[in-house]
């Protein structure tokens, strides 16, 4: 279970990796540095970036479930926190995309 909690440190490099992935894909698609990007292009670059950010949550989920199987029911706690962190990041990015699309 301690490993699951320690894996939260992986969110820092995954945040950087998500940023590099998203911006790199935007540049490869010819939209680097623009203020407004078409929704389709934003999703093409954003979905892989969100997956990169959420990768530690998958590892934490695996370790937490393993702790529960080994008789430590408190192993669910890091899983719930990881899902909240990853879910909040996804929701904030989707909300930003929706606002930019609605407001032009």
């Amino acid at each position: 279970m301690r490993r699951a909690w320690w894996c939260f440190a992986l969110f820092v490099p995954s945040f950087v990796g998500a940023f590099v992935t998203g911006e790199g894909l935007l540049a490869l698609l010819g939209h680097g540095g623009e203020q407004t990007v078409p929704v389709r292009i934003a999703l093409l670059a954003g979905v892989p970036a969100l997956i990169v950010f959420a990768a530690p949550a998958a590892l934490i989920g695996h370790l937490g479930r393993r702790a529960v199987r080994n008789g430590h029911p408190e192993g669910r706690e890091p899983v719930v926190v990881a899902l909240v962190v990853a879910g909040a990041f996804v929701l904030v990015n989707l909300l930003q995309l929706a606002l930019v699309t609605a407001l032009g």
Side-chain angles (χ1 to χ4, degrees):
M1 189 176 77
R2 276 179 271 179
R3 288 181 187 155
W5 284 112
W6 277 104
C7 284
F8 276 93
L10 295 174
F11 275 115
V12 174
S14 74
F15 177 78
V16 174
F19 182 76
V20 169
T21 301
E23 292 298 318
L25 287 173
L26 281 176
L28 283 174
L29 295 170
H31 294 280
E34 292 181 21
Q35 288 287 23
T36 57
V37 177
V39 174
R40 183 178 65 82
I41 300 297
L43 289 174
L44 282 173
V47 170
L50 294 174
I51 291 170
V52 168
F53 180 79
L59 179 60
I60 293 167
H62 168 72
L63 294 171
R65 285 190 306 273
R66 189 168 73 178
V68 170
R69 274 194 317 267
N70 291 331
H72 299 282
E74 63 273 6
R76 285 187 210 98
E77 294 169 3
V79 175
V80 170
V81 174
L83 291 175
V84 168
V85 168
F89 186 77
V90 169
L91 286 175
V92 164
N93 280 282
L94 289 176
L95 179 62
Q96 176 189 6
L97 179 61
L99 286 175
V100 166
T101 302
L103 300 176

